[in-house]
Amino acid sequence: MARFGMVIDTRRCVGCMDCVVACATENDVPDGYCRDWIVEETRGRYPTLAMEIRSERCNHCDNPPCVHCCPTGASHVEDFGTTVQVDPELCIGCKACLASCPYDARFIHPQGYADKCTFCVHRVKDGKDPACVAVCPTHCMHFGDLDDPNSEVSRLIASRPNHSLLPEAGTRPRIFYLT
Amino acid sequence: MFELTTTRHNPMVDPAMHVWGWEIPVYLFLGGLVAGILVICAWLLVTDRFRTRDSIYPALPVAALVLLSAGMGALFLDLEHKLYVWRLYTTFEPSSPMSWGAWILVLVYPLLALGVALRPPVWLARRWPALAGWGAAVTERPKLLRAVGWTNMFLGALLGVYTGVLLSALGARPLWNSALLGPLFLLSGLSSAAALIHVATRNAEERVLLARADNAFLSGELAVILLFVVGLASAAEAHLGAAGLLLGGPYTAIFWVLVVGAGIAIPLVIQMLAVSHRIPHTPVAPLLVLAGGLLLRFVFVHAGQVSHWPFV
């Protein structure tokens, strides 16, 4: 069984937000909401400042607190790619999953259910990349099976310094940022 | 320097998480209050005090049914996908405290209904004479009555702890992520229930006993709050940030002055003086306890949402 993940090269990302627009268009994300977003992090002391630009979204964690706390099973790990998904027909809109996510990656869709990045599984099932990955003009985003040592994402993780977000939260996120 | 800018702008999430408004604190308070009432009902049943002529007992299960329904109403108002609420009862998710709570409530309702039948209020017994007959099937069997009493105790404790565990299981919010939240909310629920009965009962012995019990619950609450704050302030960076909300941050004054001071410490002193016969019993102390219990939930629910892991 595949274990989908994403690798994002922060040395290539320019924060153009094409991924954000592509996601909103592909997934019909309502106005005023976003499933992915751009973060600019600046560290250091002038003049030795370092900036990292990241495209962030749900990390489809291996240990997903949103799934553990869901009272109805609406938030679940899907067999296909072991991604974290939400079934709107089961969601009661209790918002426990929003509060349980250390990345604040979820929101309440105007129709009342919890919503978030799906890794565009509907596209992936057709053999395509997620919309954000497909449109990236700098090709900084890579998608694939983390359990396959020969996949592009596995090779990038093995060959380049990288970090994930808040590993100390214990969620074992599946998006890795190359530095 | 460390500077973070984000383009994320999701309602209820940015700039700070605010998914739960007044409904959840009210639900947690009323749930805790009912938990306390169940435990006190258990004590009245097991000790046979519920048969005393002017005991508060007949009013308690009825009041608990009303309060619990009001709490469930508040919870329902909070749901964003209201028409799907029935989905709670199509599954049991053992890792979800909210699922546990939903099923605990299913057990609590019939137990409270049985509690009403054990000694119904006069107005209800007149309207529905068969009710007392059903209750007699239990009250005339001491072993069965004790079993009902201990079931009240067990489910009351479970319900009270659940109201805290509901929050403490959400590890993404460092303020909530403490195992002490369950005992704290249970003690607060017990103290609120004792205070409510202290105000309402016409039985002098019950009033004194419950004031004494309330003093023990309030003392326990103070101890748990102290341990909770010490635990936060001596933990990792995320928890230090959460502790800062109560130790110098925006929730400091309301927490220490209104929740701990006016809601716990002052009524504790008043009631200690009352039970030692230095001053007469006054409804001021229990009313302060009730207000403090409600405010405790508001502070924890709101401050907890603001607390977060660093740099996200």
Side-chain angles (χ1 to χ4, degrees):
Chain A
M1 192 185 296
R3 190 169 67 92
F4 290 141
M6 204 174 265
V7 171
I8 299 172
D9 189 343
T10 62
R11 288 182 174 267
R12 285 192 174 200
C13 179
V14 293
C16 68
M17 294 191 51
D18 261 13
C19 50
V20 178
V21 175
C23 171
T25 308
E26 174 70 29
N27 296 296
D28 202 15
V29 178
D31 284 349
Y33 296 80
C34 53
R35 287 184 179 184
D36 58 351
W37 56 93
I38 298 295
V39 169
E40 291 180 9
E41 184 183 301
T42 310
R43 288 176 186 267
R45 181 185 288 263
Y46 181 83
T48 53
L49 294 167
M51 176 185 270
E52 182 175 284
I53 302 175
R54 296 191 298 260
S55 172
E56 293 188 2
R57 61 194 44 65
C58 167
N59 282 274
H60 294 268
C61 305
D62 278 334
N63 181 27
C66 51
V67 171
H68 301 324
C69 75
C70 179
T72 63
S75 287
H76 62 282
V77 177
E78 193 161 295
D79 288 343
F80 178 73
T82 59
T83 55
V84 176
Q85 304 294 341
V86 181
D87 183 346
E89 294 295 309
L90 292 178
C91 180
I92 60 173
C94 68
K95 295 166 282 191
C97 57
L98 274 76
S100 77
C101 176
Y103 310 102
D104 293 347
R106 291 177 168 231
F107 59 89
I108 291 294
H109 190 280
Q111 289 177 13
Y113 56 84
D115 198 7
K116 67 172 198 72
C117 161
T118 62
F119 267 170
C120 284
V121 277
H122 60 287
R123 287 174 58 91
V124 179
K125 281 175 182 169
D126 289 343
K128 300 174 187 166
D129 272 335
C132 54
V133 176
V135 301
C136 180
T138 65
H139 301 292
C140 77
M141 304 174 74
H142 310 269
F143 180 80
D145 181 5
L146 295 169
D147 278 351
D148 175 3
N150 295 316
S151 68
E152 186 185 26
V153 285
S154 294
R155 281 188 281 110
L156 282 168
I157 291 170
S159 63
R160 294 267 305 271
N162 63 81
H163 68 90
S164 56
L165 297 180
L166 294 177
E168 63 272 30
T171 55
R172 301 206 295 277
R174 271 196 254 158
I175 296 183
F176 298 87
Y177 295 91
L178 302 178
T179 55
Chain B
M1 69 169 284
F2 176 81
E3 188 181 89
L4 202 70
T5 60
T6 177
T7 63
R8 196 180 61 202
H9 46 71
N10 285 327
M12 289 198 277
V13 176
D14 298 305
M17 172 110 355
H18 52 288
V19 292
W20 288 329
W22 63 268
E23 299 92 341
I24 295 300
V26 167
Y27 164 66
L28 295 179
F29 172 69
L30 293 176
L33 188 56
V34 170
I37 290 176
L38 274 170
V39 171
I40 291 169
C41 280
W43 170 66
L44 293 170
L45 290 172
V46 170
T47 58
D48 242 18
R49 287 177 196 273
F50 80 105
R51 296 183 205 268
T52 312
R53 192 181 55 81
D54 59 351
S55 168
I56 186 76
Y57 180 83
L60 291 184
V62 177
L65 280 169
V66 173
L67 292 168
L68 192 59
S69 301
M72 296 282 277
L75 181 65
F76 179 72
L77 287 178
D78 176 71
L79 298 181
E80 302 290 339
H81 220 196
K82 291 183 174 56
L83 294 179
Y84 292 77
V85 65
W86 56 277
R87 289 291 195 184
L88 274 173
Y89 295 106
T90 57
T91 181
F92 171 61
E93 299 291 332
S95 66
S96 163
M98 205 176 276
S99 184
W100 276 91
W103 287 104
I104 289 170
L105 292 171
V106 165
L107 299 176
V108 166
Y109 267 102
L111 189 65
L112 287 173
L114 176 62
V116 173
L118 294 181
R119 191 180 163 192
V122 175
W123 59 270
L124 193 60
R126 277 197 197 125
R127 204 179 173 92
W128 199 356
L131 198 61
W134 298 345
V138 175
T139 54
E140 287 168 5
R141 293 175 173 79
K143 279 187 181 171
L144 188 57
L145 182 63
R146 268 201 299 280
V148 171
W150 286 111
T151 308
N152 268 271
M153 184 77 77
F154 175 71
L155 274 184
L158 206 59
L159 180 62
V161 169
Y162 146 73
T163 61
V165 172
L166 181 72
L167 298 181
S168 70
L170 303 172
R173 308 295 141 195
L175 185 76
W176 294 338
N177 196 212
S178 164
L180 289 171
L181 223 53
L184 175 61
F185 278 30
L186 172 63
L187 281 167
S188 174
L190 286 166
S191 143
S192 300
L196 182 68
I197 297 167
H198 183 179
V199 176
T201 187
R202 277 181 279 179
N203 181 309
E205 191 191 2
E206 277 179 359
R207 187 178 305 124
V208 173
L209 285 171
L210 283 166
R212 282 190 181 142
D214 201 9
N215 288 348
F217 299 143
L218 290 170
S219 304
E221 231 182 306
L222 278 179
V224 173
I225 285 175
L226 189 66
L227 291 171
F228 173 81
V229 173
V230 169
L232 271 186
S234 54
E237 186 182 357
H239 298 88
L240 286 175
L245 293 168
L246 304 178
L247 299 172
Y251 294 91
T252 307
I254 193 169
F255 181 69
W256 292 105
V257 176
L258 295 182
V259 176
V260 177
I264 301 176
I266 291 173
L268 177 61
V269 171
I270 294 174
Q271 286 184 166
M272 282 172 81
L273 293 172
V275 295
S276 59
H277 306 293
R278 292 185 193 163
I279 60 170
H281 280 275
T282 161
V284 172
L287 289 175
L288 281 174
V289 169
L290 285 165
L294 180 61
L295 209 54
L296 174 82
R297 270 67 169 196
F298 269 95
V299 169
F300 267 88
V301 170
H302 285 247
Q305 291 178 87
V306 173
S307 74
H308 59 86
W309 284 80
F311 313 141
V312 168

